[in-house]
Structures are given as structure tokens and as C-alpha cells.
Amino acid sequence: MNLDFTPEQEQLRIDVRRHIEAELPASVQQKVRRGEFLDKHEVVNWQRSLNQRRWAAPHWPREYGGLSLRSVDKLIIQEELYRACAPMPLVFNVDMLGPVVLRFGTDAQKQDLLPRLANADLWFCQGFSEPDAGSDLASLRTRARREGDHYIVDGQKIWTTHAHLADWIFALVRTDLDTKPQRGISFLLIDLKSPGVVVRPITTIDGQHHLNEVFFDNVKVPVSQRVGDEGQGWDCAKYLLSNERTGIARVGYCRERLQHARDLLQRRLAVGLREVEAEDILIDVATLEAELRGLELMNWRFMYSQEAARGVPAHASMLKLKGVELQQDIASLLMRISGHEGLRRPAPQDWTDIDGLQTATSRYLYSRSVSIYGGATEVQKNIIAKTLLD
Amino acid sequence: MEFDLSDEQRAFADSLSRFLQERYTFEHRRSAVRDQTDETTWRDISALGVPSLLVPASAGGFGGVASDLLSVCEAFGRTLVLQPLLPGCVMSTVALASAAISPEVHALLERMAVGEARVGWAHHEARLDAPLTTQARRSGEGKWLLDGTKVHVLYGARADAILVSASEDDDTGRTGLFLVDATLPQVRRMAHTLVDDTPAADIELQSCPALRLDVDTNETIDRVALWGTFASCAEAVGVMEAALQLSRTHLGQRQQFGQALSAYQSLRHRIAEMAADLEICRALAVGAAVALEGLTSTGDVSLPQARLRIAQAWQVTSRLSLRVCETAVQLHGGIGMTEEYPVGGLLRRVVCLNHLFGQGRQLARQLAHMTAAIAA
């Protein structure tokens, strides 16, 4: 047994770290650290900078702009990005849609889409959830009728993260009403500028605009924009959801947040936080660091040991379950550290002048979503229990 | 990175597991507790080579490392074996191995390797967080004599020899580690049983002749504690495995309101939580083993770093193993409360381990201090 990285892995870490130091604008870094929204061009420019080194989609094959990196090596890149508060490459582009196109797409789709996804020339959002189809995704009702070489799409998606920034949406739509629910679903790529598409903001409990509703009213979508066969959408969705496991535990993110907690605590001490209170908080930080170490080791173990991964079929659900618990506990701790500083609700125009203390409560509030999206905690428990009891 | 056991380690783990599963049944354990005797198990696990694992090869042992111990402790945890693995084959062996150059210690290690000698570990005293009250002084002929009382010496009543920490009654004020022949009349042993059925003894020494180990005592006691904590992490993983396994079986078999308990979502979710807790602890135990190995062999882990890694592992494992075993009792309902059913024994075991190796907020405070010390 050993927990050593190879010299090649250490070199990759150094290379990524140097690239970030040289290329990441300090203003972007500060925004990410305090949780402020980035301008679209900041996200896009950063992803292009990463893509020049093939680090935007490093797990893709070389012929499509990646490095065919194993997930354990991709994790090293992710951790360095989190550590430096650099923006992640667009997850819907490179971790969700990209792998689906690679697996189910036509050659033409691969040639056309993959370079643009990696380079953030196209920004995709995800259209899965609907008002009556949340955790029970297969009950979705957005309808796509075939008319010649087009589909006509009618319906509504909800909780669509960043639809207001995105150029396109990949959506699950119902193409067949007469078969069993899973078999009647197809996977469509839709230009959000198409006539009949309306995006409306949803303000969340943190007072911010992350989420949207997306309405489709007689939207014309070429059949060539379907990925996979008609009726294969459910397979695409399952593949997509099972595919993104590398970062599911978000270890690097948690580590940066705990470092942030230590920094904020110093600042609070400077303005008169009592030593005894600070000591109490440091005990909680140390406890969460121990839990984070457990999460990191569990993540590594399932990535490096095929035997471990095979022995625990629901390990991705365990990583999600434990990862979100920790993220939420850390967000609570940060809020506790911020004290009264986090009480005032920041108006959007205030964000540039404030720091991590004032945003801690907003971020705590939004952190409640991590156990809801991407397979709610209760769904993950169902998945784990099924492997142990049925 | 490598998280799997070697083929050799796996083969050893499999044969030990199989042996314990077949021979060390819960009924066997109950009768051992009832009759206060079980000589066959020690003989058999000695024949399998368990006591030799950490004995240096020069003394006829296996000269093993932490990962060699991992699956052994897990197997002991799964079956709740009442044998002195932790104090004898781990803690005392680690302490004696660093003094193996002495002919007496070397000879003792040779006997320990084949199971002929069992050595207890007597460090704790009744007064918490205070300087040791057990005193070591020189007799007229220059031999060491010990006076004092040690508490909760695990398997102390049947040990052949005991390692005792004592403060030396000279100008240095040093602490020393001393080897005592447990059968001497100057050793008074008051046997009792811990809540998890582990036999223990309070040990009173009166002008008891002893051999001082030629080791850096504080470093050795520190290292023994690290090994003990690591072994507890690994054993707790085995206990949790058994708790999960018993609960899965029970939920599948027990019918209430016309269906198996395994049909109820609230109970299914408890099983899922237990399984996730177990996997976290399993990974942490590997991390603790690697931290110990880095300390002893290649030397690329510093002592404070290893101490932090092992303390982190135990901080999480102590809490989660308790939670898992409490849940297992809950899922079993009334039968889980009975002494004749193993699930309560699992809970009793982790309660004891938590008392012995630290738990809760106190442990977390130590963690915070360790982190601060490393950062400074």
C-alpha cells in the first residue's frame, strides 16, 4: 500500500500550478474566492487559456482536444484549480455533454461540437428537470414531435443553472408517448436563440440569479441536432450522470473552503473575536479537516483500486452523499465565523466591494442546494440501499 | 497509489478470516466469557502466525509493517475475538522490538513470536493527565525496583510479563519503560472485566524487580500509542462490517406489518448511511497504515505528520463506528438489546475502544493543537 503520486503526476501538478500563477487574473481569483459571479468573458477566457494546454477537457481523446488523461490525473488538475480559486471548465460542456457526444454522437457531431465545447465557443446548459419531473426524471413531459427533418419542441424545463449565460441547451424530450416512459425519451441540442425559446430567471434563497425556467413554444429543432437514436435519450442521460464521478466528492473545493475558514477567522480575531470562541471554531475546523481526509482517501481508493470500486457498486452515490454533507457543514462553519458580518443581504451591485465574510451567509444558503441537485441525498441513499438489500 | 493488499497479505487475511468464522463463533465466544477460559484460540492463532507479525525477523518473527496488520485487526473486529492482539501482539511487541538488542528482550520476543509468552502493556494510571505516580528506584545492588498501580491492563491477569511505565527516582526525572515478570510475588493482580467482556486487571507493584528497556521512552510510548490507535481504526472497521452485515440480514428476514423490514425506506436509508460511514473508515484505516509505514520504513513521513494522520483517522472512525453500531442496535429492535445477540457486543466493543483511545471533542481539540503545531 502507498499513497504516493508518480513523478509524472507531480510534474502535472507543478505545470498546472505554474500555468495558473502566470495566467489567472487576480480579479477573477478574488471573485471566485468570495463567491461573486464572474462575467461571461472571464469564464470563457479562462477556459480558453486552459484549453491551450488541453486542460479544459483533459479526459477526452487527443484527437478531439484532450489528453486521454485518466480520471486520477484529471483530479490533480481539478484540485489545483480549486486550490487557486480558478474557475472550473464549464462542467456541462466538458464533463456532461462532451462524453455523451463521444459515446453516442455521429462523427459529424464530434467534429463540429467537441472543439467548440472544449474552447467554450459554445456554452451549454442542461435541460433535464421539469416542474413535475425532479428526482423522478423519467416522468418528463416536454414533447418533441417529428415533422420531416425537424422536431417541434413544446414544454418547460426548470432549475436550469446558468441558462441566462448559455448559448445552447441539451434537453431530454419525449419523442414517443406510446412506449414505456424511459424508452420514449430523446436527447436534443437546442439553440437558445431559436424562436419560441424563453428563459426566465428564478431568484434563489441567497437572493441571487443562478437558476432559470426555460420555456419551449413550437421550437423548431433539426433532427441532426439529436444525439443518439430516437428513444435513446434515457441511455444518454444515464451515461451522462454516471460519467461525472471524478469530481463528485469535491475534495479540492472543500479544502480551499477550509483554508478560507482559517483566513476569515484571522480577520475576525483582528476585529475583536474572543480567543476562546476562535479556539472553539478551530476545533470544528480540525474536525472537518479530518472528515475531509476521510473523503479524500475514500475517493482515491475507489479511483485507484478497481477491486474496491467493483466491491462497492454504489460508491459514486457514497461520494456524493458524503461530499455534500461536508460541503454543507463547511458552509455552515463559514457562516458561523462571519457572525454579524454575514447578516446584511448583499445587493448585486455591492459584490465587488465585499469579501468572504459578507458573502458567507449567502453561500451557506445556496449550499443547501448541493444535496438536492445531481441526485438528491435521498435518491443516493436509495441507490446505495438497493445494492445492499435487494 | 496502491490501496490493495498484496497477494501474500490477502492470503494470510483469508486464512485467518476463515479460521475465525468457522471456529470463533459467537457461541464459542459466549462460553469463553462464561467459563473465563479459552486456551485453544490463542494456540490456534499463534499457529497461524498472528503474534509473530510485528516481531522482528531477527527474533524469529515476520517483521511485518502496518498494512500486514490491517486485515488481521479487521478480522478480529468482525468476530469480536477476546484475545490480546491489541495490547500484546501490537503495543507491547512494538515497544519491545525497539529494545530487541538486549538479550533478555530478544529471548522474550522469540517466545512471543510463537505464542509462548504474552506481554501486557501497563501505562495508564487512575489519575488522568497527571505525571506518572509509579516510581522506579535502584536497589542496593543497582537493580531497578518498581512501586505503584496501573489500571485497566488489558489481558493483564494472564500475561506472562508486563511492560510498565514509571518515573525514575533520580535527578533526571525521566520516564522509563520496564519489563516485569508478571508471576513474581511482588506483582498483585486484581482482575476485572470491561464492558465489552475484555478481561483486564489493575496491577499493584511493590518493590518489584524490573528490567529497564534501553529505549527513548517518550518516543516509544508515543509510537506504541500510534500503533494502538491505528489497530483500533482497523478493528473498528471490522466491527462496522459486522454491524452492517447483521443489520442487512435482519432487515431481510424480519417481517412486520406484512412485509420485510427491508421494504421500509426509512430503514433502507439507515443501511445506506452505515455503508457510507464504513467506506470512509475503511479508507482512513489504509491512510493510517500508510502513515505508520512512512514513519518506520522509508522515513518520508515526519512524526507530527503521522500523528496527525492517525489522529484524524481515529477521530472520524471513533465517532462513525459508534454511530453505526448504535444504528445496528436500533435496526434490530428488542433483540438488539439482548446480551445473547452479537449486535450489542459490537456496540460494547466500540464503546471500549473509544474510551481507550480517545473520542469526541477532547480528541478534536488535540487534533486542532496538532495542526497548529505543524503549521507553526
Side-chain angles (χ1 to χ4, degrees):
Chain A
M1 287 178 173
N2 76 76
L3 301 176
D4 303 326
F5 290 106
T6 62
E8 293 76 21
Q9 288 179 313
E10 298 289 8
Q11 189 57 48
L12 175 63
R13 187 182 297 283
I14 290 167
D15 291 345
V16 175
R17 196 171 289 190
R18 287 203 182 123
H19 180 83
I20 294 170
E21 279 165 11
E23 303 292 332
L24 180 66
S27 56
V28 172
Q29 190 176 42
Q30 281 154 16
K31 281 185 176 181
V32 171
R33 180 165 290 129
R34 65 184 173 234
E36 187 186 342
F37 287 119
L38 296 174
D39 294 334
K40 185 166 179 173
H41 71 88
E42 290 171 319
V43 177
V44 168
N45 288 346
W46 175 244
Q47 181 155 337
R48 286 177 184 166
S49 152
L50 285 177
N51 195 38
Q52 280 175 3
R53 304 291 298 266
R54 295 177 169 250
W55 291 334
H59 49 305
W60 295 3
R62 288 180 171 274
E63 56 181 313
Y64 297 113
L67 291 167
S68 300
L69 280 197
R70 300 175 305 161
S71 54
V72 289
D73 299 324
K74 183 189 169 201
L75 184 68
I76 291 171
I77 298 176
Q78 282 185 342
E79 288 192 338
E80 286 304 311
L81 294 173
Y82 278 128
R83 180 177 172 275
C85 290
M88 286 292 126
L90 295 170
V91 62
F92 296 118
N93 279 28
V94 300
D95 293 323
M96 297 189 158
L97 180 56
V100 169
V101 171
L102 280 164
R103 169 80 171 259
F104 297 95
T106 62
D107 280 342
Q109 285 172 331
K110 288 179 196 171
Q111 301 295 346
D112 172 47
L113 281 169
L114 293 172
R116 293 199 284 161
L117 292 176
N119 206 45
D121 297 338
L122 284 179
W123 182 322
F124 265 87
C125 62
Q126 180 191 45
F128 279 14
S129 294
E130 296 185 3
D132 293 324
S135 290
D136 177 15
L137 195 54
S139 64
L140 63 90
R141 290 202 302 231
T142 294
R143 180 87 175 93
R145 279 179 290 118
R146 182 79 178 256
E147 280 188 7
D149 56 359
H150 283 79
Y151 288 105
I152 304 298
V153 178
D154 284 288
Q156 181 195 351
K157 296 292 174 181
I158 195 167
W159 318 127
T160 318
T161 304
H162 293 168
H164 56 301
L165 298 171
D167 307 303
W168 283 60
I169 186 168
F170 57 85
L172 293 179
V173 295
R174 189 159 297 288
T175 40
D176 188 346
L177 297 171
D178 301 327
T179 176
K180 74 175 216 179
Q182 283 85 346
R183 292 262 58 92
I185 293 172
S186 299
F187 192 101
L188 288 190
L189 309 181
I190 304 171
D191 186 343
L192 287 169
K193 291 184 296 297
S194 310
V197 177
V198 174
V199 176
R200 282 191 199 145
I202 298 172
T203 303
T204 37
I205 52 178
D206 57 338
Q208 301 295 319
H209 177 197
H210 311 260
L211 307 180
N212 303 274
E213 294 176 285
V214 181
F215 297 88
F216 303 92
D217 179 17
N218 273 308
V219 177
K220 209 170 159 187
V221 179
V223 170
S224 62
Q225 287 170 206
R226 190 189 68 222
V227 180
D229 296 333
E230 194 170 280
Q232 208 178 13
W234 189 250
D235 294 336
C236 293
K238 271 203 315 197
Y239 180 71
L240 180 153
L241 295 171
S242 71
N243 200 42
E244 177 34 28
R245 291 181 174 183
T246 312
I248 201 167
R250 298 191 82 194
V251 171
Y253 174 76
C254 291
R255 176 161 300 125
E256 187 279 324
R257 287 290 90 190
L258 282 170
Q259 184 53 50
H260 188 57
R262 289 184 178 277
D263 296 342
L264 289 187
L265 189 61
Q266 288 309 312
R267 304 234 323 270
R268 293 278 288 154
L269 275 166
V271 296
L273 182 75
R274 287 174 14 188
E275 286 282 349
V276 59
E277 176 68 12
E279 207 171 287
D280 203 50
I281 288 170
L282 280 174
I283 292 173
D284 287 343
V285 173
T287 305
L288 292 172
E289 281 169 346
E291 289 177 19
L292 177 59
R293 180 65 178 169
L295 184 68
E296 175 171 57
L297 286 164
M298 174 162 80
N299 194 28
W300 281 341
R301 183 166 173 267
F302 288 132
M303 288 171 90
Y304 282 93
S305 167
Q306 289 190 5
E307 185 190 313
R310 265 199 307 272
V312 184
H315 60 268
S317 292
M318 289 185 186
L319 289 165
K320 171 81 171 30
L321 180 70
K322 288 293 183 184
V324 301
E325 264 178 30
L326 196 54
Q327 287 169 56
Q328 292 179 334
D329 286 349
I330 293 171
S332 299
L333 179 74
L334 283 162
M335 177 169 70
R336 179 175 156 215
I337 293 171
S338 75
H340 277 74
E341 303 272 356
L343 205 49
R344 195 162 92 178
R345 170 169 279 204
Q349 67 273 18
D350 293 339
W351 278 68
T352 45
D353 298 322
I354 59 182
D355 60 25
L357 286 173
Q358 288 94 333
T359 54
T361 304
S362 289
R363 299 192 72 172
Y364 155 78
L365 289 167
Y366 197 64
S367 80
R368 302 316 302 170
S369 67
V370 297
S371 53
I372 299 171
Y373 67 61
T377 280
E378 290 70 21
V379 172
Q380 306 298 348
K381 288 181 184 174
N382 285 348
I383 292 169
I384 299 166
K386 196 171 171 57
T387 65
L388 294 167
L389 291 170
D390 298 341
Chain B
M1 283 191 206
E2 176 60 64
F3 278 82
D4 295 330
L5 296 175
S6 68
D7 290 344
E8 198 185 12
Q9 287 171 332
R10 188 183 316 276
F12 185 74
D14 287 349
S15 62
L16 179 66
S17 277
R18 212 168 25 245
F19 167 78
L20 290 175
Q21 240 156 34
E22 283 166 15
R23 301 282 293 282
Y24 204 85
T25 60
F26 193 66
E27 272 317 302
H28 177 89
R29 184 185 188 278
R30 288 194 74 205
S31 68
V33 171
R34 196 172 49 238
D35 308 339
Q36 296 283 299
T37 175
D38 173 15
E39 286 304 316
T40 59
T41 302
W42 177 254
R43 194 191 61 215
D44 293 338
I45 61 177
S46 296
L48 282 169
V50 171
S52 77
L53 274 177
L54 298 184
V55 173
S58 62
F62 181 73
V65 292
S67 60
D68 294 319
L69 196 64
L70 198 60
S71 57
V72 175
C73 294
E74 285 178 14
F76 270 58
R78 274 195 296 274
T79 31
L80 290 176
V81 180
L82 288 169
Q83 293 294 331
L85 174 73
L86 184 62
C89 310
V90 181
M91 298 172 79
S92 298
T93 302
V94 165
L96 288 167
S98 51
I101 197 145
S102 139
E104 291 96 330
V105 172
H106 191 271
L108 179 61
L109 280 166
E110 284 180 331
R111 293 176 55 223
M112 289 168 79
V114 292
E116 279 175 19
R118 281 173 277 194
V119 180
W121 174 254
H123 177 47
H124 289 293
E125 299 186 350
R127 197 168 167 77
L128 300 171
D129 287 331
L132 294 175
T133 59
T134 301
Q135 294 286 322
R137 62 190 155 87
R138 300 264 194 182
S139 71
E141 305 94 68
K143 303 268 188 206
W144 287 100
L145 297 175
L146 304 186
D147 289 280
T149 303
K150 297 288 181 177
V151 300
H152 292 325
V153 179
L154 305 178
Y155 301 90
R158 283 173 182 248
D160 304 288
I162 298 171
L163 279 171
V164 180
S165 59
S167 56
E168 296 175 11
D169 184 21
D170 57 17
D171 297 339
T172 63
R174 288 183 310 184
T175 301
L177 259 184
F178 298 86
L179 185 60
V180 167
D181 178 349
T183 60
L184 291 174
Q186 295 91 333
V187 179
R188 207 173 135 237
R189 299 191 261 190
M190 292 143 290
H192 58 271
T193 305
L194 304 188
V195 292
D196 67 346
D197 305 320
T198 300
D202 293 346
I203 293 185
E204 203 178 288
L205 305 163
Q206 283 184 328
S207 298
C208 177
L211 175 75
R212 187 183 190 281
L213 297 192
D214 186 17
V215 293
D216 177 339
T217 305
N218 291 327
E219 191 269 344
T220 304
I221 290 175
D222 204 14
R223 210 150 36 81
V224 166
L226 291 185
W227 276 87
T229 309
F230 154 68
S232 298
C233 287
E235 188 179 333
V237 167
V239 172
M240 293 166 85
E241 274 179 19
L244 177 60
Q245 188 53 48
L246 284 172
S247 302
R248 286 169 64 187
T249 307
H250 179 74
L251 260 53
Q253 289 172 348
R254 173 89 171 152
Q255 301 271 326
Q256 290 286 278
F257 305 104
Q259 53 185 345
L261 291 184
S262 61
Y264 294 94
Q265 193 182 40
S266 66
L267 307 186
R268 296 173 69 85
H269 283 188
R270 303 298 294 272
I271 292 286
E273 291 157 9
M274 291 167 81
D277 284 352
L278 167 61
E279 292 305 325
I280 288 266
C281 295
R282 205 192 287 283
L284 279 164
V286 173
V290 171
L292 267 182
E293 289 184 11
L295 198 58
T296 51
S297 59
T298 60
D300 56 353
V301 180
S302 71
L303 182 63
Q305 196 67 33
R307 202 185 282 135
L308 176 68
R309 289 299 183 217
I310 291 165
Q312 284 180 324
W314 181 241
Q315 212 281 334
V316 175
T317 303
S318 58
R319 191 166 51 80
L320 296 189
S321 60
L322 191 65
R323 180 162 86 182
V324 162
C325 290
E326 287 171 351
T327 304
V329 169
Q330 175 70 22
L331 290 176
H332 278 80
I335 191 79
M337 292 298 298
T338 62
E339 200 171 46
E340 68 182 25
Y341 197 77
V343 74
L346 298 168
L347 175 61
R348 291 189 283 139
R349 181 58 182 157
V350 297
V351 164
C352 265
L353 288 176
N354 280 4
H355 277 295
L356 291 170
F357 293 95
Q359 58 188 325
R361 196 98 183 137
Q362 190 184 10
L363 196 59
R365 185 174 297 115
Q366 289 168 15
L367 263 187
H369 288 155
M370 284 179 206
T371 313
I374 288 175

